[in-house]
Amino acid sequence: MANSFKDKTKHAFTHLIMVLSSVIGLLFATPNLLYSREPLDSEIEKALRKTVTCERIEIKTKRGADKGGKLESLFIKFVSMPKNILPADYVTVQYTNPQIDLGTLKKSNIFAITSYSDFKIGMLVSEQTIKDEFEKTAKRLSFHYDKFLIKFTPPFIELEFDIPVNTIPLKDRKLIEKFTINSRLKGYAALRLEVHDNKIFVSPAKVILNHFLVPMPVLAELQKRINPVYQITRIRPFNYDLGKVELLNQYILFSN
Amino acid sequence: MRKNKLRLLTYILIVITVALIGYVAVLYWRGGVSNYEPPKQIYATSRERVQSDLQNLSKAVEAYFVINMEYPRKLELLQPAFLDHVSNDPLSGKAYLYTLYDTGGASRYRISVPDPELYNAKELYIENGKLVQR
């Protein structure tokens, strides 16, 4: 009886010690985990703020379950990029197994990655942003138009327009002058986008000008003259080449 | 002889003129407001349609990732921002299978055809943008 009581007390005591040690361990470990994760995110954000202008930067890190908590993934999201790069609503950069140069980050506040196993970048531009940008640019360039509608119908961008011919550069105007009536161009275009080496190319799939379907040889010549339509500036410090573009319901997705 | 040659030349000229008028008429006829629509996508086979479906779903999943920094938990979340609707497998009529998993620190997704045998394949899926059929 006495032995059983002794055993029970010993067992309870051992159990108590185990619980206490885990609680103490947790208490010490939690601040360490917090210290090692949160400041890294904010230090990366601070460093990127110096080079990238945008409305908001969000950082997300994913660590391995092992003891050291090795950084497995690093996600960086930029919200509302300035139009001198690309008027993108969202840009997300993803590194897999990145090695961050912590010395440079902490000492000089510079974000640098020494190695990684995979790098992905995706940029989203919404239909609304394109419409807004078009209106702003038209105002800035005093480009007058009676109608200019932009619509996303994957995989095409549809345009419906009624514009004066003098808004088209002289060198390109000659090519379409046979379709001009009363110095106006009224019509429709279904375009596809392509991206090579950070340059956007437009490929017209169907163009109608003043009730005439523009024949393919004229479209091919037009395509040669207008391309590339846009050069996307790289976001520093990242090094990438955008090579894919996809048209979605309300967005255009550019990626490497 | 000369008369015959002249007649032949006249015929050729008439044919060329008619062809030109016809060509211009076709361009005019196809340029009406009712033709303000993009070229139609024509799929010769169900397999082509499935490949296109998988690619479209994959693009939408990638786009979702750009905004949310994670892949969607279900494909329905891709509507309406990225897709009009999530289509089903054309032959079986069943929904495409969507799975998420992690390998080597990277998140991955797979969208598969529910009955690949219908397409004479053991597997037919798209994984992180790469189409696999065997």
Side-chain angles (χ1 to χ4, degrees), chain A residues 46-143:
Chain A
K46 224 164 73 186
L48 287 171
R49 272 255 162 254
K50 284 191 344 189
T51 50
V52 187
T53 321
C54 67
E55 207 176 275
R56 202 169 75 237
I57 298 177
E58 285 176 30
I59 312 285
K60 190 173 150 188
T61 46
K62 210 162 93 185
R63 287 174 187 272
D66 57 325
K67 207 180 165 189
K70 191 180 151 270
L71 196 60
E72 284 188 337
S73 298
L74 169 65
F75 308 99
I76 305 164
K77 181 167 90 176
F78 303 99
V79 181
S80 295
M81 293 298 291
K83 66 175 177 190
N84 61 332
I85 291 175
L86 178 79
D89 297 74
Y90 303 96
V91 175
T92 295
V93 170
Q94 181 189 351
Y95 285 101
T96 308
N97 299 313
Q99 288 285 329
I100 302 173
D101 188 344
L102 288 171
T104 318
L105 184 68
K106 283 182 179 158
K107 272 186 210 155
S108 325
N109 198 20
I110 291 171
F111 173 75
I113 297 270
T114 51
S115 70
Y116 55 83
S117 63
D118 193 24
F119 171 83
K120 273 168 80 177
I121 184 164
M123 299 181 174
L124 277 182
V125 186
S126 72
E127 190 183 84
Q128 194 52 50
T129 302
I130 288 185
K131 285 176 184 168
D132 295 346
E133 281 306 316
F134 172 78
E135 271 174 31
K136 273 188 221 164
T137 314
K139 251 186 203 168
R140 189 165 44 86
L141 299 173
S142 306
F143 171 77

Side-chain angles (χ1 to χ4, degrees), chain A residues 60 62 72-73 75 77 90 92 94 97 120 122 124 156 158 187-188 206 208 211 213 215 246 248-251, chain B residues 23 27-28 31-32 35-39 59 62-63 65-67 69 71 80-84 102 104-105 107:
Chain A
K60 190 173 150 188
K62 210 162 93 185
E72 284 188 337
S73 298
F75 308 99
K77 181 167 90 176
Y90 303 96
T92 295
Q94 181 189 351
N97 299 313
K120 273 168 80 177
L124 277 182
F156 301 101
E158 290 184 274
Y188 167 88
K206 183 179 184 179
I208 293 170
H211 214 299
L213 180 73
E246 313 295 350
L248 299 153
N249 230 16
Q250 295 167 10
Y251 290 96
Chain B
Y23 183 57
L27 292 181
Y28 183 82
N35 286 307
Y36 283 12
E37 57 180 16
K59 290 168 199 168
E62 295 288 350
F65 185 90
V66 174
I67 297 182
M69 290 199 279
Y71 291 121
F82 309 110
L83 290 174
D84 240 354
D102 272 21
S107 304

